[in-house]
Amino acid sequence: MWWIYALFSAFFAALTAILAKVGVKGVDSDLATAIRTSVILVLAWGIAYFRGGTQHLTTLSRTNLLFLGLSGIATGLSWVCYFRALQLGEVSQVAPVDKLSVALAIGLSVVFLGEKLTIQTAIGAGLILAGTLVLVLWK
């Protein structure tokens, strides 16, 4: 079942790039990020509330809060950079570089989380890197 959500995630991420490219035209990229984040904030809290997730707020540990907060900071910085890159470049170049996050996440998961690096995962990460290089550098 996870892969259905992952496919929807990929679809919405792709749609995000197209919609954001149109949305940032003539707009400060930091303001665009703030608007996008505000919409996400309302949507995320609404979903959490209506699905009953907010009743678990009191069970969060300091570690949960710390790492979720750090994740939020990383997400925000990623979005600020992403919107600026979209203003300056083409979606067909920005999106593949942004998706290098997949290969980077694999590497970081091995180093910091102790996840096993299989040959399939290593080849997949290498192909992502190679594909990005082809799309961005080979002109």
Side-chain angles (χ1 to χ4, degrees):
M1 187 70 176
W2 65 265
W3 62 273
I4 293 173
Y5 286 104
L7 284 174
F8 276 117
S9 175
F11 171 75
F12 288 122
L15 193 57
T16 296
I18 302 304
L19 297 172
K21 179 66 176 179
V22 176
V24 297
K25 187 175 183 177
V27 176
D28 177 76
S29 61
D30 295 329
L31 176 61
T33 302
I35 292 168
R36 174 187 182 191
T37 303
S38 298
V39 171
I40 293 167
L41 178 71
V42 170
L43 180 66
W45 275 106
I47 291 169
Y49 176 77
F50 286 111
R51 294 188 69 192
T54 56
Q55 63 184 299
H56 303 289
L57 275 171
T58 58
T59 65
L60 295 174
S61 69
R62 287 181 183 232
T63 302
N64 294 138
L65 293 172
L66 172 65
F67 281 92
L68 289 172
L70 290 173
S71 174
I73 290 169
T75 299
L77 293 172
S78 171
W79 291 350
V80 166
C81 295
Y82 183 71
F83 268 56
R84 186 68 179 140
L86 281 176
Q87 273 192 327
L88 301 172
E90 297 179 16
V91 171
S92 61
Q93 291 180 310
V94 172
V97 174
D98 178 62
K99 296 311 172 217
L100 275 178
S101 63
V102 174
L104 291 171
I106 291 168
L108 293 172
S109 73
V110 170
V111 172
F112 293 108
L113 301 177
E115 292 186 4
K116 185 179 178 188
L117 181 63
T118 65
I119 189 68
Q120 295 93 337
T121 305
I123 290 171
L127 289 171
I128 291 168
L129 177 59
T132 300
L133 292 174
V134 167
L135 288 169
V136 175
L137 300 178
W138 197 353
K139 292 234 174 218

